[in-house]
Amino acid sequence: MTVTGWAEAVRVAGRAGQAVRERTSAVRPPLELPLAEALGLVLARPLAALTDLPPFDTSAMDGWAVAGPGPWRVRPDGVLAGQSGGALADGEAVRIATGARVPRDVTAVLRSEHGSLDAHGGLHPQREVVHGQDIRPRAQECRTGDTLLPAGSAVTPAVLGLAAAAGYDTLAVHARPTVDLFVLGDELLTRGLPRDGLIRDALGPMLPHWLREAGAEVRAVERLGDRPDALARAVAASEADLVVTTGGTASGPVDFVHPTLERLGADLLVDGVAVRPGHPMLLARTAPGQHLVGLPGNPLAAVCGLLTLVVPLLRGLAGAPLRQGRDAGRTPGSGAVPDVYETRRVQLSSDPLAAPAPPGPDAAAPTAVLDAPVQGHPSHTRLVPVRVDAGRARPLSFGGPAMLRGVATADALAVVVPGGAEAGHPVELLALPWAGGGGGFT
């Protein structure tokens, strides 16, 4: 068995998903969905503006639309949002609401708090009136045909709002990748306390929700125990884009995933990864257009396998960009680490106004500075649960392969290069789904 470097494993998984999507695009065209059904999916085409935004000059404030120099005669009518008022003559003003269309020949909008009415109904400015003030000009945000977002962008709530404002009723999106999950192991209990060498199954309750958070449609969750024939039948019958198994990927007496894949004629793309926890994970092509990821049975090791192989594969299948990571996540001789996990991110900067990196293949992965040293493995990357605050990452205890206590309180996993990292050293972060909100490929 040739162990694959962590960065290379991430790249192989992402590109495997991409390759399937590209080969099947003719037979699996994008979905055209109503806005309300597109949340969490990925744009299949660029989002181009169907109208100018705003589509006409609008008032930015409540107040008066005024024409010419003041003082002004206030007309008895008013202009509300959704209405169009008549043109104003010099010396006239009309009440106007925020968002209302500005009448023709208007000089400016005078805010309510910046004007006063005299006993005869005349309007007087309390400060200088500048031509065009508090008017949002037509096409200030975009012009018809402008590209607002590239293909591959995640559909977030903000994207839905932008699409609606730009004139869309539906969006062209890629379908969610489908997943079948097969939980292996005769030693697993589904309820009650551990007893007589049996332990509770942590992955069965956790992984389906994590897969959905990663943007997948989970079609089946089956407990197959330690039955090689049952696994072979389940994989052969699966029509999902991705099959995920738990346990059975090492070389123990009941580790039968490898023999089953050989029996099915699968092609192993990744057979072991130089990462701790999680090194006995694997990725195989089981059929044209279908892959299988074998996760280790230890819970945190399975999480690391999920982030290393499953999430990048899902992003490739869904048409999400495979973004490039920073050098902080490099393993020797591996090149840059692809950041293909989540576009949502934990807060890394103490400056709340710091601009995020734009979406796309050249956007850099986030980093934080370690608060404490992290011991490394001599030759393997480590994925370490951390809490992040103002750009500093605090390594957490309970990061062993069988433990979930650390990751349950973490914001992210820090990518620690072979040999370890000292306090003050920048490390790449893999954000966890609950750290940034949203779902799917956001």
Side-chain angles (χ1 to χ4, degrees):
M1 179 179 72
T2 302
V3 175
T4 303
W6 180 77
E8 176 67 6
V10 172
R11 184 190 68 82
V12 169
R15 292 189 177 176
Q18 264 188 344
V20 170
R21 181 178 53 81
E22 291 167 358
R23 287 197 305 268
T24 60
S25 59
V27 295
R28 298 175 65 179
L31 306 175
E32 195 74 31
L33 295 181
L35 297 184
E37 298 176 21
L39 181 65
L41 300 178
V42 173
L43 292 178
R45 293 193 286 268
L47 188 72
L50 302 180
T51 180
D52 295 344
L53 284 180
F56 38 75
D57 293 352
T58 61
S59 176
M61 304 295 292
D62 291 333
W64 295 271
V66 299
W72 303 274
R73 301 179 306 277
V74 180
R75 292 189 346 193
D77 54 335
V79 184
L80 301 178
Q83 298 178 344
S84 296
L88 297 184
D90 277 358
E92 285 190 324
V94 66
R95 270 285 186 184
I96 194 166
T98 301
R101 184 171 188 166
V102 173
R104 296 189 308 278
D105 302 326
V106 163
T107 302
V109 169
L110 181 66
R111 301 185 186 192
S112 297
E113 62 268 27
H114 295 167
S116 62
L117 295 170
D118 61 28
H120 304 288
L123 174 64
H124 299 264
Q126 301 300 305
R127 59 183 62 188
E128 181 185 5
V129 176
V130 178
H131 191 280
Q133 76 179 27
D134 288 326
I135 293 175
R136 297 186 182 120
R138 177 176 179 171
Q140 181 185 47
E141 186 173 359
C142 67
R143 294 192 178 278
T144 302
D146 284 354
T147 298
L148 305 177
L149 290 170
S153 298
V155 180
T156 65
V159 170
L160 292 179
L162 176 63
Y168 284 84
D169 300 317
T170 62
L171 287 175
V173 291
H174 294 294
R176 293 183 185 276
T178 57
V179 176
D180 286 343
L181 173 63
F182 302 138
V183 180
L184 309 181
D186 287 340
E187 75 279 14
L188 301 178
L189 297 170
T190 59
R191 58 187 304 165
L193 296 175
R195 64 181 186 275
D196 302 326
L198 303 178
I199 59 173
R200 281 295 298 268
D201 171 27
L203 299 181
M206 177 176 69
L207 290 180
H209 298 289
W210 205 315
L211 289 164
R212 293 184 186 103
E213 282 285 333
E217 176 189 342
V218 180
R219 292 190 171 183
V221 179
E222 297 183 28
R223 301 178 185 277
L224 302 181
D226 289 324
R227 295 181 293 145
D229 288 344
L231 177 61
R233 287 193 300 269
V235 173
S238 174
E239 296 182 354
D241 299 311
L242 173 62
V243 173
V244 176
T245 64
T246 67
T249 56
S251 54
V254 291
D255 291 335
F256 53 84
V257 173
H258 282 92
T260 300
L261 292 175
E262 184 176 358
R263 172 180 167 186
L264 294 173
D267 297 322
L268 275 174
L269 306 180
V270 174
D271 190 8
V273 176
V275 66
R276 301 299 175 104
H279 67 281
M281 65 181 80
L282 62 84
L283 169 64
R285 185 185 300 110
T286 49
Q290 185 188 69
H291 290 82
L292 180 146
V293 170
L295 299 177
N298 278 324
L300 185 56
V303 169
C304 294
L306 188 79
L307 295 177
T308 300
L309 297 178
V310 174
V311 175
L313 184 66
L314 291 175
R315 289 185 65 81
L317 286 168
L322 307 186
R323 301 168 65 202
Q324 295 300 311
R326 298 181 185 270
D327 290 351
R330 234 175 239 185
T331 50
S334 69
V337 177
D339 167 27
V340 292
Y341 309 93
E342 310 279 349
T343 57
R344 55 178 171 264
R345 293 298 173 200
V346 292
Q347 176 64 40
L348 305 180
S349 171
S350 58
D351 178 6
L353 300 181
D362 297 324
T367 64
V369 174
L370 284 174
D371 256 356
V374 176
Q375 183 177 0
H377 187 275
S379 59
H380 288 191
T381 299
R382 284 192 65 200
L383 302 182
V384 179
V386 293
R387 290 285 293 179
V388 182
D389 182 34
R392 301 192 68 83
R394 175 170 57 88
L396 300 175
S397 301
F398 307 106
M403 300 178 180
L404 290 175
R405 185 173 172 182
V407 74
T409 58
D411 297 314
L413 297 186
V415 181
V416 179
V417 298
E422 298 298 324
H425 185 80
V427 290
E428 182 185 348
L429 298 177
L430 310 181
L432 300 174
W434 51 86
F441 298 95
T442 57

